[in-house]
């Protein structure tokens, strides 16, 4: 039998022994120490024997045994650990091995591993704290863990006196003398005095907040009257959905070079990919992905441009009926309105039954007196003069009925997609030669802003709340409804009744020191927590604050049947639920006298006085213009005649 065959046979035999041993140990009631010893014995390497083909187990000596001394047994062979192992090594199958592994002759002491080590050097003794014979001294109690404390021992004979005196650098610095601008410490007394002085200086150090802006006491009205700046005009664009409002305004901004040609080309490419090539101009104002995918305006878009005569702010209101509250918020900031009408067949007729009519009534109810009617998409009807006259007659009759004067209404035929009569007069179409009037830009320049209440106490409705940057953690935007404002002025936020300081003012993206009623501004606030502000709140004068009211007496123009019912009160960005609790009477439209007291129902077209109870107090005062809506429909609009605070009934 060859050596490899003998080795394979022995391995098979040992595997069988291991299996039988593990099975017997599993069935026994437990000898965990014997089990561990048996497994350790089975894991020992095999040494083949050259005489009888058997194999001998090698049991290396443990490394951590004590060094040889008088108390140690030098005759013990390597590997003698237990009686079980000795019996296994003395089995008749095993014979002395004659392989490359050295075997110590019988009776000769076997050297241990620690005996072969050299004596520790003086460096090791000093570093590790060993005794001269190489042992570690008994460790002293330490607050460090054991694996760290073993490195913290130092030799007891180490001389520490060299570290008690000044270092060579200290000696060299002392020889150079004191530095310029510093006092040299003279002995222990001087050091203590210097240390106390430094400590007092550290205690006096404080981290102060940014300096608060100081009010400059500017005469804002005098500054406004002396200013030579262009008048600031705000106008809202209204009309039925898909009548081309955003397209018309996008073409206007592009022709006035407010939007560069590269941006327009990018919008064209993106619109072509979506199969909406005609929407490229509308995307100048419709910036969100949802607006672009749906093809409608969902929020009031704001943009600015300037001409030689004025500075304009565009408020592009949504035309869909689901976004009427957004339209009300935008129209409440306008000086005049641009009503866009689609001249396409059946488009005008569907609009007059929808948002064309409702938008016109809403802007008039909010105090807008000037309106420009832009008859759009004239290219689709080949600039038909008859169609334009038909639309003009019907709309003029409706607008005069709604309360607009004839001289305050202007009509303009145009094409937003082609740019006809937008920033340039005329059209390439020969059929458009019948119109020789002004274009859209000229009509905008001829529209003067509304008269503003400059001498009234400061009022501003918050339209948006945001973070203006690192220097301005809290900023609000909106239009000044009344009064004046300057940097450093204290204001009060209602209904929270918290005060704030005007840290900075921005108008038309420029930092200014003051603003007056009618300006669209961004205010950077200080000394107020953002939780005390929300959209629709009012910033007002600290000396003349606006009152929080819960009961409103309203003189309203009725658009739909009114009964005691739930309604929503809209005032700019303010939205408050309430309920009509009392129908006081029906009024005469001319004189305002009561013609019928306590009616049970009020019909559309009538003027009535009603009482509305709000669910929560809101900042409103007479003569504020408000809109009443119910179930998604506008039911009335009018003026607040009186507002009363909620009466708290004490608990009995």
């Amino acid at each position: 039998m060859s050596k490899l065959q003998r080795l394979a046979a022995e391995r098979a035999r040992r595997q069988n022994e291991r299996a039988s041993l593990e099975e017997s140990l599993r069935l026994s009631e437990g000898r965990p120490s014997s089990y561990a010893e048996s497994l350790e014995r089975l894991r020992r390497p095999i040494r083949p024997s050259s005489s009888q083909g058997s194999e001998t187990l090698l049991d290396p000596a443990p490394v951590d045994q004590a060094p040889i001394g008088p108390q140690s047994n030098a005759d013990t062979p390597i590997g003698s650990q237990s009686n079980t192992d000795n019996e296994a090594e003395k089995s008749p199958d095993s014979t002395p091995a004659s392989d490359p592994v050295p075997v110590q002759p019988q009776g000769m002491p076997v050297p241990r591993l620690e005996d072969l080590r050299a004596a520790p050097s003086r460096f090791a003794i000093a570093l590790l704290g060993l005794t001269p014979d190489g042992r570690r001294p008994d460790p002293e109690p330490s607050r460090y863990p054991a694996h760290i404390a073993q490195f913290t021992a130092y030799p007891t004979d180490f001389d520490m006196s060299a570290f008690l005196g000044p270092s060579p650098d200290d000696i060299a610095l002392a020889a150079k003398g004191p530095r310029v601008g510093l006092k040299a410490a003279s002995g222990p007394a001087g050091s203590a005095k210097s240390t106390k002085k430094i400590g007092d200086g550290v205690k006096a150090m404080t981290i102060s907040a940014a300096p608060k802006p100081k009010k400059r006491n500017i005469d804002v009205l005098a500054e406004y009257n002396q200013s030579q700046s262009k008048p600031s005009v705000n106008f809202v664009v209204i009309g039925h959905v898909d009548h081309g409002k955003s397209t018309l305004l996008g073409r206007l901004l592009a022709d006035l070079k407010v939007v560069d040609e590269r941006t327009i080309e990018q919008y064209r490419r993106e619109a072509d990919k979506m199969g909406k090539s005609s929407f490229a101009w509308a995307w100048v104002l419709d910036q969100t992905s949802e607006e672009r995918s749906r093809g409608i305006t969902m929020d009031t878009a704001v943009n600015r441009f300037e001409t030689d005569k004025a500075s304009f702010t565009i408020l592009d209101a949504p035309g869909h009926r689901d976004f009427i509250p957004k339209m009300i918020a935008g129209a409440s900031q306008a000086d005049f309105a641009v009503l866009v009408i689609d001249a396409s067949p059946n488009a005008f007729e569907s609009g007059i039954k929808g948002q064309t009519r409702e938008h016109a009534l809403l802007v008039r109810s909010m105090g807008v007196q000037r309106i420009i009617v832009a008859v759009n998409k004239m290219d689709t009807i080949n600039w038909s003069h008859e169609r334009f006259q038909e639309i003009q007659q019907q709309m003029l009759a409706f607008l005069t009925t709604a309360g607009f004067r004839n001289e305050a209404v202007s009509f303009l035929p145009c094409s937003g997609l082609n740019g006809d009569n937008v920033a340039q007069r005329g059209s390439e179409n020969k059929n458009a030669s019948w119109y020789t009037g002004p274009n859209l830009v000229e009509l905008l320049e001829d529209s003067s802003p509304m008269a503003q209440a400059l001498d009234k106490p400061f009022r501003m409705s918050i339209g948006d709340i945001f973070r203006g940057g690192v220097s301005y953690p809290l900023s609000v935007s909106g239009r000044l409804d009344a009064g004046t404002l300057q940097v450093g002025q204290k204001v009060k936020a209602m209904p929270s009744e918290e005060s704030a300081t005007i840290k900075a003012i921005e108008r038309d993206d420029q930092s200014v020191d003051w603003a007056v009623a009618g300006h669209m501004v961004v205010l950077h606030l200080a000394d107020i927590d953002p939780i005390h502000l929300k959209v629709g709140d009012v910033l007002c004068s600290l000396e003349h604050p606006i009152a929080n009211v819960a009961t409103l007496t309203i003189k309203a123009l009725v658009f739909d049947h009114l009964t005691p019912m739930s309604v929503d009160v809209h005032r700019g960005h303010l939205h408050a639920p309430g309920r009509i609790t009392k129908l006081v009477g029906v009024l005469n439209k001319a004189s305002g006298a009561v013609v019928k007291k306590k009616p049970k129902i009020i019909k559309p077209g009538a003027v009535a006085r009603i009482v509305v109870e709000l669910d929560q107090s809101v900042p409103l005062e007479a003569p504020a213009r408000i809109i009443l809506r119910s179930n998604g429909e506008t039911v009335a609009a009018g003026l607040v005649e009186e507002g009363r605070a909620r009466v708290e009934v004490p608990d009995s």
Side-chain angles (χ1 to χ4, degrees):
M1 181 182 294
S2 64
K3 184 176 180 180
L4 292 178
Q5 291 176 345
R6 290 197 302 271
L7 183 61
E10 182 63 23
R11 286 179 178 173
R13 183 182 63 79
R14 291 194 65 239
Q15 289 179 357
N16 294 334
E17 290 180 359
R18 180 183 299 178
S20 60
L21 178 61
E22 290 180 352
E23 180 65 19
S24 62
L25 291 176
R26 184 179 64 83
L27 297 177
S28 65
E29 294 184 357
R31 291 177 58 194
S33 59
S34 300
Y35 178 69
E37 294 172 359
S38 301
L39 289 182
E40 180 64 25
R41 178 175 175 273
L42 292 174
R43 293 192 185 99
R44 294 171 187 168
I46 302 171
R47 184 178 61 188
S49 176
S50 60
S51 61
Q52 298 179 2
S54 61
E55 297 175 352
T56 305
L57 300 178
L58 295 181
D59 189 6
V63 177
D64 55 350
Q65 292 180 359
I68 297 176
Q71 72 280 6
S72 63
N73 185 9
D75 298 333
T76 303
I78 298 177
S80 59
Q81 295 180 353
S82 63
N83 296 332
T84 305
D85 296 339
N86 293 334
E87 293 174 1
E89 292 181 359
K90 294 178 182 179
S91 61
D93 295 338
S94 62
T95 59
S98 60
D99 50 24
V101 179
V103 179
Q104 195 71 15
Q106 185 70 21
M108 182 177 292
V110 179
R112 297 180 181 273
L113 180 61
E114 293 189 0
D115 298 337
L116 302 179
R117 295 176 179 173
S121 64
R122 295 188 61 84
F123 176 77
I125 292 174
L127 180 64
L128 301 178
L130 302 177
T131 59
D133 59 351
R135 293 179 176 274
R136 293 183 182 273
D138 294 335
E140 297 180 359
S142 173
R143 61 187 178 91
Y144 297 103
H147 66 283
I148 298 178
Q150 62 179 335
F151 297 106
T152 60
Y154 295 94
T156 56
D157 57 347
F158 190 79
D159 187 10
M160 298 293 296
S161 61
F163 298 96
L164 300 178
S167 67
D169 291 340
D170 294 337
I171 297 174
L173 292 175
K176 293 180 179 179
R179 296 185 182 180
V180 178
L182 298 176
K183 285 186 177 181
S186 58
S191 300
K193 184 176 180 181
S194 176
T195 303
K196 184 177 182 302
K197 185 176 181 181
I198 295 175
D200 294 341
V202 173
K203 291 181 180 179
M205 293 176 61
T206 58
I207 301 176
S208 59
K212 297 182 180 180
K214 295 182 179 180
K215 188 176 180 180
R216 303 181 182 180
N217 296 321
I218 302 174
D219 189 348
V220 178
L221 291 179
E223 293 285 340
Y224 174 70
N225 294 328
Q226 295 176 4
S227 63
Q228 302 296 325
S229 60
K230 299 177 183 178
S232 180
V233 186
N234 310 323
F235 68 92
V236 61
V237 182
I238 58 177
H240 194 65
V241 64
D242 290 338
H243 277 206
K245 300 182 295 297
S246 298
T247 300
L248 178 63
L249 295 178
R251 187 61 188 245
L252 173 65
L253 294 175
D255 291 348
L256 294 175
K257 308 302 181 183
V258 178
V259 183
D260 57 276
E261 188 64 28
R262 179 180 300 178
T263 303
I264 297 297
E265 288 297 330
Q266 178 183 353
Y267 291 160
R268 284 199 183 103
R269 290 192 299 269
E270 294 176 358
D272 289 338
K273 292 180 181 179
M274 299 180 62
K276 300 179 179 181
S277 57
S278 61
F279 282 61
W281 300 108
W283 286 6
V284 174
L285 286 95
D286 296 341
Q287 294 290 327
T288 65
S289 58
E290 187 175 3
E291 287 179 327
R292 293 182 176 184
S293 61
R294 296 180 60 179
I296 60 174
T297 302
M298 303 175 64
D299 200 354
T300 301
V302 180
N303 215 314
R304 297 177 178 86
F305 68 93
E306 288 189 10
T307 64
D308 296 336
K309 296 183 179 180
S311 175
F312 293 94
T313 299
I314 303 174
L315 303 165
D316 183 19
H320 199 279
R321 60 177 300 174
D322 293 343
F323 307 110
I324 290 294
K326 300 286 187 180
M327 177 266 168
I328 294 174
S332 63
Q333 307 174 66
D335 295 309
F336 63 93
V338 176
L339 176 61
V340 180
I341 293 177
D342 188 352
S344 304
N346 300 322
F348 164 70
E349 288 75 13
S350 62
I352 199 66
K353 298 177 183 179
Q355 272 53 64
T356 299
R357 174 181 177 275
E358 185 175 9
H359 284 195
L361 291 174
L362 288 175
V363 295
R364 184 65 191 95
S365 301
M366 285 183 282
V368 175
Q369 300 178 358
R370 163 79 169 150
I371 189 169
I372 299 173
V373 182
V375 183
N376 195 23
K377 302 184 181 181
M378 289 294 295
D379 54 309
T380 61
I381 59 173
N382 200 20
W383 285 84
S384 173
H385 192 196
E386 292 77 12
R387 177 65 170 173
F388 176 78
Q389 288 181 329
E390 176 188 358
I391 295 173
Q392 182 179 11
Q393 292 175 1
Q394 295 187 37
M395 286 304 303
L396 184 59
F398 168 71
L399 293 175
T400 53
T401 304
F404 290 96
R405 296 176 298 169
N406 289 345
E407 57 271 18
V409 180
S410 301
F411 288 87
L412 166 74
C414 63
S415 173
L417 187 62
N418 298 330
D420 300 337
N421 273 345
V422 178
Q424 303 294 332
R425 283 195 181 188
S427 171
E428 296 180 357
N429 194 321
K430 297 180 180 179
N431 296 327
S433 58
W434 52 266
Y435 180 76
T436 58
N439 57 26
L440 179 59
V441 174
E442 293 171 344
L443 288 176
L444 294 176
E445 291 177 336
D446 292 340
S447 302
S448 58
M450 298 170 56
Q452 304 296 335
L454 301 179
D455 56 343
K456 299 292 184 181
F458 166 67
R459 300 286 188 269
M460 174 183 156
S461 179
I462 297 177
D464 193 12
I465 303 173
F466 56 96
R467 180 181 176 87
V470 178
S471 302
Y472 306 118
L474 179 59
S475 303
V476 299
S477 63
R479 184 192 189 212
L480 268 68
D481 299 325
T484 61
L485 187 67
Q486 60 180 293
V487 174
Q489 181 175 335
K490 291 277 189 179
V491 297
K492 178 175 285 190
M494 302 295 285
S496 64
E497 300 185 5
E498 295 289 332
S499 61
T501 305
I502 305 300
K503 193 174 183 180
I505 303 175
E506 290 185 12
R507 185 176 73 241
D508 297 336
D509 298 329
Q510 300 292 329
S511 181
V512 295
D513 294 331
W514 52 267
V516 299
H519 286 166
M520 300 281 290
V521 296
V522 174
L523 304 181
H524 303 293
L525 304 181
D527 303 332
I528 188 172
D529 197 291
I531 63 174
H532 299 303
L533 296 176
K534 64 179 182 296
V535 174
D537 287 358
V538 176
L539 297 179
C540 57
S541 171
L542 201 64
E543 296 79 11
H544 305 282
I546 188 173
N548 291 328
V549 298
T551 304
L552 303 176
T553 301
I554 305 170
K555 181 181 179 181
L557 174 63
V558 180
F559 302 142
D560 203 345
H561 292 87
L562 284 187
T563 59
M565 60 184 185
S566 298
V567 293
D568 293 328
V569 177
H570 294 266
R571 159 71 173 168
H573 293 88
L574 175 65
H575 172 212
R579 178 177 176 81
I580 298 177
T581 58
K582 187 177 182 180
L583 304 178
V584 179
V586 179
L587 308 180
N588 185 287
K589 292 183 179 181
S591 62
V594 178
V595 296
K596 186 177 181 180
K597 295 182 179 180
K598 297 181 179 180
K600 295 182 178 180
I601 188 172
I602 300 177
K603 297 180 180 180
V607 176
R609 182 174 288 116
I610 60 177
V611 176
V612 177
E613 293 281 350
L614 301 176
D615 293 350
Q616 57 184 3
S617 299
V618 297
L620 277 176
E621 61 184 353
R625 294 180 177 270
I626 63 173
I627 306 295
L628 300 181
R629 289 176 57 81
S630 178
N631 297 325
E633 300 289 341
T634 303
V635 295
L639 298 173
V640 176
E641 293 184 328
E642 182 184 5
R644 297 187 298 275
R646 192 183 304 278
V647 178
E648 299 293 342
V649 179
D651 297 336
S652 56

